[in-house]
Amino acid sequence: MDEKKLYAEWLENATDDTDLIEELKSIEGDAEAVRDRFYTALKFGTAGLRGVIGAGTNRMNIYVVRQATQGLANYVLAKYGKGAVAISHDSRIKADLFMIEAARVLAANGIKVYITGELQPTPVLSYLVRYFKCQAGIMVTASHNSAEYNGYKAYGEDGCQMTDNAAAAVYDEIQKLDMFKDVKVGDFDEAVKSGMIEYVDDSVYGSYLEKVMEQQVNPGICKGADLKVVYTPLNGCGNKLVRRVLKNIGVEDVTIVKEQEMPDGNFTTCPYPNPEKKEALQMGLDLCETIQPDLLLATDPDSDRVGIAVRDYGKNEGKYRLITGNEDGVMLTNYILSCKKAAGTLPDNPVVVKTIVSTKMINKLCEKYGCELKNVLTGFKYIGEIILGLEQKGEENRYLFGFEESYGYLAGTYVRDKDAVVASMLIAEMAAYYKKQGKSLAEIIDGMYEEFGYYYNQTYAFEFKGETGMQKMAGMMSSVRDNLPKAVADYNVVKISDYQLKKETDLVTGEVEELTLPTSNVIALHLENDNAVIIRPSGTEPKIKLYVTSVGENRQNAVDICEAIVNSAKEILGL
């Protein structure tokens, strides 16, 4: 069916949401606007759905959500015969509506639904799936995307985001459906009365917090530390639980960035609410200049990631330094390993997990403590799969920590997704621990650089919008594979890991090994002196990303090396 016919079909049938009808009428006769909304359909993948809110198959709306949920229902019923699904949402525009629409579809299909009475962090959804022994879960969120976006993350029975195979099976079911004719939609209030839809009791959130509290490394350390914290939820859903857990561990002096305290899907104070971006943290940083805390915490809209800034020292005393996700991940790993070793509570053969694009400094730290380091593809579900594998062998106590460079962290096995609530707790605990020793976190990371070398990690993203964007990115990846470089900048390529071809080639010895990780369109170029550049198309946005690792004698040296590597990599890609 072409765009014009789809447009006419929507005008006739999309009557349950007046916003959509108004939008459709407003673009009548505008061929380009019609095409943009209907030339394709949002594809259901391992990240679920994500798109701009609006009318059409290429937008996030109640009909796309209903169709996806019917596909999920068909998948659950075919695999399990019956089932239960947990659903929650963050502060995004129409997020609560999308949750209710998904619940209506599931209940109409005879599937029990557990929904949250208010917005909750993504890790809570992962917890609910496991707590209620559900067969699937749905989190309505677009994570850190700008305000015009919303999304739909699907989870499996293990509490992880769906694997490639499961997502493909759901997508196959979705493809069979006419979104107006083949979707069952029940009455919400009737489903609540009958018990098919059940609101989660507050006691369940209490049990979640108990599990978070169990991850403390030094219980009571925050008491008497006089730790001063500035916190911003970035208008998302971390406000209640993060503040509760900070209070529980004894952090009393917490100042909230008032303009970003309450849920607001418009994100008027931070148009791109990503804690990786300094602009998103700027209001918090401005408040730090006045309050002079030890620590700034900033959780993203669905509160699965947390960014931080810390008070600097020396000539920069009183200023605030942004800490990268890699730096925070290394510091937290070091804190957990060193304290547990000193206390004699480090398990035999401890395991730390990181994504392939995260810092190589962790390799040296794990060597120091005799800790097994596991590398996984980008996506926290792969860290969750490692935890599941350990659990199935009765060895889940070996898992200590998992992290990715984009501020995602998890200690403990009670959820299977990154968790900004537990991360905020551990970061505050770590800051208090070192403060009692007269040290700031800025001094701690600088000490690690002195010990292991200055590992500088930068991510560069290049956007390709429009219908041809994905084709351009695919062409670039093919070109790299067909013309593998022997050097990047002044550094020879010593090893190439191609996760799509599933092979790793050592260019020094000529040995070729099979990669056992799932297939992914990623190429890693390992260079001399532990430098590296990883090329990866984003799975959720029309972007190619370059993850550069440069190792220098000091920061400036590492920055210079990084700049040379990225410029050379851009030439290789034809950017």
Side-chain angles (χ1 to χ4, degrees):
M1 189 177 291
D2 64 26
E3 293 92 346
K4 289 181 181 179
K5 288 184 178 179
L6 278 171
Y7 171 75
E9 183 180 306
W10 274 63
L11 266 178
E12 180 182 351
N13 294 286
T15 56
D16 291 348
D17 188 334
T18 56
D19 290 345
L20 300 184
I21 292 297
E22 289 177 12
E23 181 182 341
L24 290 168
K25 288 180 177 177
S26 73
I27 62 170
E28 187 174 4
D30 186 339
E32 185 175 344
V34 170
R35 177 167 174 73
D36 188 42
R37 287 163 175 77
F38 292 100
Y39 81 88
T40 189
L42 293 181
K43 184 174 180 181
F44 188 98
T46 56
L49 299 167
R50 192 176 299 186
V52 173
I53 301 164
T57 55
N58 192 32
R59 295 287 191 271
M60 281 295 297
N61 52 67
I62 62 171
Y63 300 102
V64 168
V65 167
R66 287 175 180 177
Q67 182 188 38
T69 308
Q70 183 66 57
L72 178 65
N74 292 349
Y75 165 79
V76 167
L77 293 173
K79 184 172 182 179
Y80 301 100
K82 60 181 180 177
V85 177
I87 318 177
S88 189
H89 67 93
D90 68 3
S91 61
R92 295 257 160 198
I93 295 168
K94 293 186 181 286
D96 54 346
L97 173 63
F98 293 165
M99 177 185 75
I100 287 170
E101 292 299 316
R104 292 175 66 194
V105 172
L106 292 166
N109 282 274
I111 294 174
K112 172 81 175 185
V113 183
Y114 298 94
I115 65 170
T116 58
E118 63 179 4
L119 70 174
Q120 294 290 343
T122 287
V124 170
L125 185 278
S126 176
Y127 181 77
L128 296 179
V129 171
R130 295 171 57 76
Y131 181 91
F132 290 113
K133 296 181 172 57
C134 294
Q135 282 64 53
I138 300 167
M139 181 69 189
V140 182
T141 176
S143 188
H144 58 269
N145 283 73
S146 49
E148 67 269 25
Y149 282 83
N150 208 331
Y152 176 114
K153 289 183 181 177
Y155 287 73
E157 63 181 329
D158 57 355
C160 287
Q161 282 191 56
M162 279 194 168
T163 62
D164 297 344
N165 290 339
V170 173
Y171 184 58
D172 284 345
E173 294 292 340
I174 294 170
Q175 291 287 88
K176 301 172 186 175
L177 301 170
D178 181 297
M179 66 173 58
F180 296 117
K181 298 176 182 176
D182 299 334
V183 178
K184 299 177 183 177
V185 184
D187 182 274
F188 182 81
D189 292 336
E190 287 299 322
V192 172
K193 286 180 184 177
S194 70
M196 285 302 295
I197 297 176
E198 180 180 333
Y199 281 98
V200 176
D201 188 80
D202 286 347
S203 63
V204 180
Y205 307 126
S207 72
Y208 160 80
L209 276 179
E210 288 174 8
K211 295 295 184 183
V212 171
M213 292 290 290
E214 289 174 7
Q215 310 314 316
Q216 293 176 88
V217 177
N218 289 298
I221 194 70
C222 292
K223 295 175 182 177
D226 297 321
L227 191 71
K228 187 183 269 192
V229 175
V230 166
Y231 169 57
T232 172
L234 295 180
N235 299 122
C237 59
N239 190 33
K240 288 188 176 182
L241 289 181
V242 171
R243 291 170 74 172
R244 278 178 65 182
V245 80
L246 290 176
K247 186 175 182 179
N248 287 351
I249 64 172
V251 181
E252 299 289 343
D253 193 344
V254 179
T255 302
I256 308 300
V257 179
K258 286 296 180 185
E259 299 89 341
Q260 299 174 336
E261 179 179 15
M262 302 309 293
D264 180 4
N266 293 299
F267 305 115
T268 51
T269 62
C270 52
Y272 196 64
N274 182 352
E276 295 176 81
K277 303 292 184 182
K278 183 179 180 181
E279 295 80 7
L281 275 61
Q282 193 58 56
M283 294 196 82
L285 291 168
D286 292 344
L287 187 57
C288 285
E289 294 293 335
T290 303
I291 300 294
Q292 288 290 300
D294 301 289
L295 179 67
L296 166 68
L297 295 171
T299 53
D300 69 344
D302 64 326
S303 198
D304 60 354
R305 300 183 304 135
V306 56
I308 72 171
V310 301
R311 187 188 297 178
D312 217 334
Y313 66 102
K315 65 180 181 180
N316 294 317
E317 182 70 43
K319 300 295 182 183
Y320 285 82
R321 186 196 296 190
L322 290 171
I323 299 297
T324 70
N326 279 311
E327 290 175 327
D328 200 8
V330 166
M331 282 196 291
L332 283 167
T333 305
N334 180 65
Y335 171 65
I336 294 168
L337 285 170
S338 61
C339 288
K340 285 186 177 290
K341 184 173 183 179
T345 57
L346 194 63
D348 293 335
N349 303 314
V351 172
V352 168
V353 191
K354 78 170 186 73
T355 57
I356 59 173
V357 298
S358 300
T359 181
K360 288 184 171 185
M361 187 196 285
I362 198 72
N363 298 46
K364 292 190 174 183
L365 180 64
C366 286
E367 287 173 11
K368 177 180 177 179
Y369 286 99
C371 179
E372 183 180 354
L373 176 65
K374 291 183 178 290
N375 281 282
V376 297
L377 293 177
T378 303
F380 222 86
K381 62 179 175 289
Y382 297 115
I383 294 177
E385 285 182 348
I386 295 293
I387 298 173
L388 178 61
L390 291 169
E391 185 179 63
Q392 289 172 338
K393 295 187 290 185
E395 300 177 359
E396 62 266 31
N397 67 308
R398 292 177 57 203
Y399 172 80
L400 285 187
F401 194 60
F403 78 96
E404 58 187 8
E405 42 71 45
S406 55
Y407 290 115
Y409 315 106
L410 177 64
T413 63
Y414 59 101
V415 298
R416 298 297 157 85
D417 210 341
K418 47 192 178 285
D419 187 351
V421 181
V422 76
S424 296
M425 181 191 78
L426 288 173
I427 291 165
E429 182 184 313
M430 175 173 65
Y433 174 81
Y434 290 119
K435 185 175 181 179
K436 284 187 172 181
Q437 298 176 23
K439 299 175 183 178
S440 71
L441 291 182
E443 290 174 280
I444 296 303
I445 189 60
D446 284 349
M448 295 186 72
Y449 283 136
E450 288 180 16
E451 181 177 0
F452 298 119
Y454 203 104
Y455 280 74
Y456 184 69
N457 300 90
Q458 285 289 101
T459 302
Y460 302 85
F462 305 93
E463 192 165 2
F464 299 87
K465 290 185 177 181
E467 186 177 354
T468 62
M470 302 303 286
Q471 296 172 352
K472 288 180 181 177
M473 292 195 298
M476 286 180 176
M477 296 301 290
S478 294
S479 178
V480 173
R481 286 191 173 90
D482 293 340
N483 304 279
L484 290 170
K486 294 182 179 179
V488 179
D490 295 328
Y491 300 94
N492 291 327
V493 179
V494 296
K495 186 183 294 184
I496 297 172
S497 304
D498 191 322
Y499 294 90
Q500 181 161 291
L501 301 180
K502 303 191 76 164
K503 68 176 184 178
E504 185 170 80
T505 305
D506 189 319
L507 300 185
V508 177
T509 65
E511 293 182 7
V512 178
E513 293 186 9
E514 181 184 359
L515 291 171
T516 57
L517 297 181
T519 302
S520 183
N521 191 13
V522 179
I523 300 171
L525 303 175
H526 306 276
L527 312 177
E528 295 172 302
N529 300 339
D530 224 10
N531 298 303
V533 58
I534 296 175
I535 308 167
R536 171 182 170 263
S538 171
T540 57
E541 301 168 288
K543 296 178 180 178
I544 272 191
K545 294 185 177 182
L546 298 179
Y547 300 84
V548 177
T549 297
S550 59
V551 187
E553 298 175 358
N554 52 51
R555 177 181 172 82
Q556 190 55 56
N557 180 224
V559 168
D560 292 343
I561 294 170
C562 179
E563 185 175 338
I565 290 174
V566 74
N567 286 338
S568 179
K570 285 168 65 178
E571 288 182 15
I572 291 168
L573 284 169
L575 292 168

